[in-house]
């Protein structure tokens, strides 16, 4: 039997959005096993704790993997991305590209990552145009100003964001 192809989709997922989920759906078509790596990222001062982010990603994305019969795991990481990728046995790293703004950063990161481990390929996927402009950062900003976020994130995530924002005001 052919070796299983393993993909790693890393991010902060603070919180997971419909944009992330669209990239996950596309990524699932490319691999036999998908690992979603949730980065600790304390420097980004996340709204949700690491455990909350992991739980939300698992709850929202697992059904998509199960539907396609793809092995699925959500794992937290706090190390160099390429070291984590090696540890989970990833063949490819999946990243989403939104606009030109993402390109500069991704270009640099990928270039450096290829020097760290040239055997792990980075694959860029584009979300459906209706999800391309969604960003976790903006979802939180809209919620802080009491805007409606239900078209950007799954329902349970929207409820969790509204609750967190309310808590942070107290
Ligand atoms: P990071 O901290 O790495 O930016 P994010 O959680 O913001 O983590 O995003 C993880 C990955 O998902 C990144 O590759 C990002 O470009 C991609 N992504 C996020 N939102 C979208 C979207 N709406 N469409 C396509 N890709 C997206």
């Amino acid at each position: 039997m052919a070796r299983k192809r393993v993909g790693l989709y890393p991010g902060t997922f603070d919180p997971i959005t419909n944009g992330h989920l669209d990239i996950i759906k596309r990524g699932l078509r490319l691999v036999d096993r998908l690992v979603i790596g949730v980065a600790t990222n304390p420097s980004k001062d996340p709204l949700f704790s690491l455990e909350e982010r992991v739980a939300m990603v698992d709850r929202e994305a697992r059904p998509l993997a199960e539907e396609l019969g793809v092995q699925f795991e959500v794992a937290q990481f706090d190390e160099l991305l390429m070291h984590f990728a090696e540890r989970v046995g990833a063949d490819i790293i999946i990243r989403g590209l939104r606009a030109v703004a993402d390109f500069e950063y991704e270009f640099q990161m990928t270039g450096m990552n290829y020097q760290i481990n040239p055997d792990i390929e980075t694959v860029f996927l584009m979300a459906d145009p209706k999800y391309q402009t969604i960003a976790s950062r903006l979802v939180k900003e809209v919620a802080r100003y009491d805007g409606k976020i239900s078209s950007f994130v799954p329902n349970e995530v929207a409820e969790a964001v509204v609750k967190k924002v309310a808590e942070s005001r107290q």
Side-chain angles (χ1 to χ4, degrees):
M1 207 177 93
R3 212 176 71 74
K4 283 198 160 48
R5 184 163 286 278
V6 180
L8 168 63
Y9 180 39
T12 312
F13 303 103
D14 185 44
I16 187 162
T17 68
N18 292 340
H20 292 127
L21 286 164
D22 191 76
I23 296 295
I24 291 169
K25 268 187 210 155
R26 289 165 200 279
L28 284 167
R29 296 192 196 127
L30 307 178
V31 296
D32 304 298
R33 172 178 165 77
L34 181 68
V35 179
I36 305 199
V38 181
T40 339
N41 247 341
S43 63
K44 279 197 172 178
D45 193 19
L47 178 67
F48 289 96
S49 72
L50 184 58
E51 292 70 26
E52 288 168 329
R53 285 181 278 139
V54 166
M56 282 192 283
V57 170
D58 194 90
R59 188 186 64 221
E60 302 299 335
R62 187 174 290 280
L64 306 175
E66 281 174 358
E67 207 173 298
L68 292 173
V70 175
Q71 282 183 20
F72 182 77
E73 187 192 336
V74 183
Q76 57 186 64
F77 73 104
D78 187 15
E79 63 187 306
L80 202 59
L81 174 63
M82 290 316 261
H83 291 167
F84 180 59
E86 285 164 9
R87 224 154 42 77
V88 300
D91 302 285
I92 62 169
I93 290 176
I94 296 168
R95 296 288 289 170
L97 265 192
R98 280 166 289 198
V100 195
D102 279 344
F103 180 78
E104 183 77 33
Y105 174 73
E106 297 291 342
F107 173 78
Q108 274 194 320
M109 274 259 294
T110 305
M112 287 187 52
N113 284 340
Y114 281 169
Q115 294 196 34
I116 299 169
N117 186 333
D119 297 326
I120 301 180
E121 208 59 59
T122 300
V123 174
F124 293 98
L125 299 176
M126 276 183 359
D128 184 288
K130 62 178 180 283
Y131 301 126
Q132 273 175 19
T133 52
I134 302 174
S136 300
R137 184 178 58 81
L138 295 175
V139 167
K140 289 178 279 188
E141 211 165 295
V142 171
R144 279 189 192 109
Y145 289 103
D146 297 319
K148 200 162 153 285
I149 54 170
S150 54
S151 53
F152 309 131
V153 293
N155 287 342
E156 282 190 64
V157 174
E159 284 164 20
V161 172
V162 169
K163 195 162 161 245
K164 266 277 178 207
V165 167
E167 278 167 16
S168 67
R169 280 187 187 134
Q170 284 164 10

